[in-house]
Amino acid sequence: MNRTDLALPLRAGLLLLTLTGLAYALVTRQPVYWLPILLIAVGQVWELMRYLNRQNRELTDFLDALRYQDFSSNLSTVHAPASVRQARQLLNQINQTFSELTREKEAQHLYLQNVLALVNTGILSYRDDDLAVGWMNESLKRLLQVPYVNTLEGFRRRNPALHAQLLALRPGESKVFKVGAQAVLLSATAFTDETGRWRLVAFQPMSEALEANEALAYQKILRVLNHEIMNSIAPIASLAETLHKRLHTEPATVDELRTGIGVIRTRSEGLLQFSQTYRNLSKFSTASLQPVRVIDLIESVLTLFEPTLAQRDIDPDVIVPDMDMVVLADPVLIEQVLINLLTNALDALRDQAAPTLAITALHNDEHRPLVSIADNGPGIPDELIDEIFVPFFTTKPHGSGIGLSLSRQIMQLHRGSIQLQSTVGKGSTFSLLFSTS
């Protein structure tokens, strides 16, 4: 056992022994013994108190340094008794952990400051209760042409209108404000830390925001047009190639040529009309509705896909109990929706050993026209069903994520909807629900 391990028990033992001798001297009434024993007892008590006070003072100084984030001190464990050594080691470990966390926090803070200093967007943070400014990056200082302000009140003297706008701006809001001749988009958010509730305001020049949004919008429009044009051109080219081969291999009847050329002409005109309509998004917000026989829409699209279906050895099952069933629709736009759905169905059937495709048109329980396209493909997982209609979301390696979102938009123009039922391993059914008026 270490000598320091005996320090506290030895002092306590000596004190107990001294007190026992004092008690014996008092009981036997021998004053010649109890007086020196009393002095020894007082000395032992004093030494024990001094020892405990030294231990407490060391612990107090350590905790005080920890409170003020001074992690340089440590409790000595070399001469500490075994009874307190483990506690001191644990406190030293806590001190080291706090030191590491503080260093990480300072590094993250420095990193964030450097990032905010480099961005072109102006950043301002201020506390809600006293309006004290916590941060202004260099972009904001250049934009406002101010070196720094300590509180939000500093803006009142330089720009009263901006001061009023900042106070009125609520978290989650975005407003346009002019700083000199430059329009700026102000966006606010809020967060809370140990010092209180803070507001974070971003100052983004409108020219940069508009250029970025404009470029993104152009990219999306080009992707939409490319998707829809390719979806229509592919079956047109396939049908034209089939007719061309028929002319060179075996004589084609006039009716076959007339039908094929008629479909190519109709779909080409529809594609031109679609492209012209999509060029102006405001025009795309309306549809030219007219009564159309459902069977005519289905036959037109199936004729377009006839070469592909024959090549894939797929014989679609068309179920239309009422051949005179009519929907109020824009035939060009609805044909585009059917083309998108058939294209997706054929993609789903690509690896099926026995592919089946069914097209059904009937009235639902509310007597609303319902046109469905079903396949026995791999199906769509439940977690993706709500996402496949999101623009530009796709599960295909080379897909654009346009067709289904555009199809939903077209059905909304018809005061209808597009619905999906799918089971993994069994297939999917897309249904077009039309309005009755």
Side-chain angles (χ1 to χ4, degrees), residues 128-150:
D128 271 358
D129 54 358
D130 58 2
L131 303 181
V133 172
W135 176 257
M136 285 179 62
N137 68 346
E138 294 300 323
S139 296
L140 182 59
K141 295 176 185 177
R142 290 194 299 267
L143 177 66
L144 302 181
Q145 296 182 350
V146 296
Y148 192 80
V149 292
N150 293 321

Side-chain angles (χ1 to χ4, degrees), residues 41-282:
V42 171
Q44 291 295 326
V45 170
W46 171 257
E47 180 64 23
L48 181 60
M49 290 180 60
R50 193 167 69 88
Y51 176 82
L52 294 176
N53 285 337
R54 185 171 65 251
Q55 299 294 324
N56 290 335
R57 187 166 55 253
E58 289 182 12
L59 181 59
T60 301
D61 292 342
F62 174 81
L63 295 177
D64 213 26
L66 197 62
R67 182 178 64 171
Y68 291 104
Q69 298 184 1
D70 178 9
F71 306 110
S72 59
S73 61
N74 281 294
L75 291 173
S76 175
T77 59
V78 177
H79 301 293
S83 56
V84 297
R85 185 182 302 143
Q86 187 175 3
R88 288 191 170 206
Q89 290 174 345
L90 183 59
L91 287 173
N92 287 336
Q93 291 176 3
I94 293 174
N95 182 46
Q96 184 179 357
T97 301
F98 280 160
S99 178
E100 293 173 356
L101 290 175
T102 301
R103 285 198 299 268
E104 291 178 3
K105 181 179 178 182
E106 291 175 352
Q108 292 174 356
H109 182 66
L110 182 60
Y111 175 78
L112 179 60
Q113 283 184 327
N114 290 329
V115 170
L116 292 178
L118 292 175
V119 297
N120 293 327
T121 301
I123 303 294
L124 169 71
S125 67
Y126 66 92
R127 196 160 43 214
D128 271 358
D129 54 358
D130 58 2
L131 303 181
V133 172
W135 176 257
M136 285 179 62
N137 68 346
E138 294 300 323
S139 296
L140 182 59
K141 295 176 185 177
R142 290 194 299 267
L143 177 66
L144 302 181
Q145 296 182 350
V146 296
Y148 192 80
V149 292
N150 293 321
T151 69
L152 211 62
E153 291 298 315
F155 290 110
R156 186 194 296 273
R157 298 186 299 273
R158 295 177 171 84
N159 194 329
L162 176 59
H163 175 265
Q165 185 67 76
L166 290 174
L167 291 179
L169 193 64
R170 295 289 176 264
E173 286 185 342
S174 295
K175 291 185 179 180
V176 178
F177 182 81
K178 295 201 71 174
V179 178
Q182 187 174 11
V184 177
L185 180 66
L186 302 180
S187 303
T189 187
F191 64 94
T192 302
D193 64 7
E194 65 275 5
T195 62
R197 181 176 172 83
W198 292 78
R199 298 284 180 93
L200 191 68
V201 183
F203 293 67
Q204 185 176 14
M206 285 295 294
S207 57
E208 296 180 5
L210 290 175
E211 288 174 1
N213 290 335
E214 184 179 2
L216 183 60
Y218 276 127
Q219 292 176 7
K220 290 183 177 181
I221 289 175
L222 289 175
R223 289 172 66 182
V224 170
L225 288 175
N226 179 68
H227 177 274
E228 299 308 314
I229 290 172
M230 290 304 298
N231 265 7
S232 293
I233 287 181
I236 288 175
S238 179
L239 181 58
E241 184 181 0
T242 299
L243 293 176
H244 183 266
K245 289 181 179 179
R246 290 287 299 275
L247 288 174
H248 288 80
T249 57
E250 56 182 288
T253 65
V254 175
D255 289 338
E256 289 176 335
L257 292 175
R258 183 183 295 113
T259 301
I261 293 173
V263 170
I264 292 176
R265 185 192 67 184
T266 300
R267 193 57 221 156
S268 299
E269 292 175 350
L271 183 58
L272 286 174
Q273 181 180 345
F274 172 81
S275 300
Q276 292 170 354
T277 302
Y278 201 84
R279 260 190 332 186
N280 189 338
L281 294 179
S282 62

